[in-house]
Amino acid sequence: SGDSILCKDSTAQIGIEVIGNSPFSYTMDGATNSDGIFIISEAKTYYVTVTDSFGCQSSAEKEMTFTYPSISIEGKDEFCSDSSIILSAAGNAINYYWDNTSEDTTRYQITEGGEHTLIGIDEFGCGSKVSKEITKRDYPILSITDSTSFCENDSVLLSATLNRTALFYKWDDGPLLSKNEIFASKERSYTVIGFDDLLCPSLPKTTKVTEVIRPTVQISGPSYICEGNDNIELQANSTT
C-alpha cells in the first residue's frame, strides 16, 4: 500500500497488507521483516514475498515512479544600482517560493544582487530547487574635459569618457547621443551623464566653459612712406 509516486532524492514508505494466517514474514529486495514496512529510495518495480505461519507464500509487486517539477529562473543577470528587476519562475510546478519566503508567486522583484533561490512544488508535493546569481552593478565612472575656454565667436570641443563600454551620453537636457563629444559655443556650465551597455547611468559631471573676448588691435604710425626711405615705424596697441 502507499503512493506509487516517489519524490526525487527522497525516500518513501511501503506498507504491505495481508489477509491470512498470521504471523507473517515479509521479504523484499533481500530484506525480511515481520511488520511489512519497508523504506525505499529508488524508482523501480518492487517485489515482495509474504510467508504465513504455515509456510505458504504469496507474492505481489508495486511500481514506484520518480517525480519532480522541472523549473528555471528567467530574467536578467545584472541590474543597475538604485533600481530593481523582476525574476520569473518557469516550469511545471504549481507552487513557487523565492529565497525561503512563504509567498507563492511566479514573479519576484529583487533590489539586491547575490544568489537568489527558487523552489517549485508539484501536485504530489515533490520539490525542485534552482538558483541564479545576480549582479548589482555599481555606477559607471564618468570623466569630463576640465574647465576650459574658447575665443569669442568660436567654440571648444568637450569630451566625456566612461570607465566601461558606453552606449549613450546625455549633455544637459539634450537627446541621447552615441558620440562622447560636443562643441560648446556658449559661456556656461555643461553637464553630462554617461550610460553603459546595461543603460546604467553615471553620476552627472559638470564643467565650466568660459568665452574669452578677442583682443582689439590698433596700428598707429604714418600711413605713407617717402620715396627713397627704407622703412617707417609702426606701433601696434591692443586691448582685451
Side-chain angles (χ1 to χ4, degrees), residues 145-211:
T145 307
D146 292 334
S147 297
T148 187
S149 60
F150 66 94
C151 296
E152 181 183 11
N153 299 323
D154 203 344
S155 63
V156 64
L157 183 66
L158 299 182
S159 177
T161 304
L162 213 58
N163 70 328
R164 60 178 70 132
T165 301
L167 285 185
F168 301 108
Y169 293 89
K170 182 178 177 64
W171 294 86
D172 298 321
D173 294 326
L176 294 177
L177 303 173
S178 58
K179 293 184 177 181
N180 66 326
E181 299 174 330
I182 64 166
F183 283 97
S185 58
K186 293 183 179 180
E187 180 176 286
R188 62 179 178 86
S189 294
Y190 290 81
T191 300
V192 61
I193 298 174
F195 296 85
D196 67 13
D197 57 339
L198 200 62
L199 289 180
C200 296
S202 69
L203 296 175
K205 286 280 189 175
T206 300
T207 190
K208 173 68 175 177
V209 172
T210 303
E211 183 179 22

Side-chain angles (χ1 to χ4, degrees), residues 1 3 14 18 24 26 35 42 48 50 68 77 90 108 116 125 133 141 143 145 151 153 156 171 199 201 211 215 236:
S1 62
D3 292 333
I14 289 181
V18 181
F24 304 101
Y26 307 86
D35 59 11
E42 296 181 69
V48 62
V50 179
Y68 62 94
D77 296 329
Y108 183 56
H116 293 275
E133 187 70 27
I141 299 174
S143 59
T145 307
C151 296
N153 299 323
V156 64
W171 294 86
L199 289 180
E211 183 179 22

Side-chain angles (χ1 to χ4, degrees), residues 64-98:
M64 298 298 295
T65 304
F66 266 143
T67 183
Y68 62 94
S70 176
I71 62 173
S72 63
I73 299 175
E74 296 180 346
K76 293 180 178 180
D77 296 329
E78 292 183 280
F79 68 103
C80 306
S81 295
D82 295 336
S83 66
S84 64
I85 58 171
I86 299 293
L87 299 179
S88 298
N92 58 1
I94 59 174
N95 302 105
Y96 294 95
Y97 303 97
W98 298 86

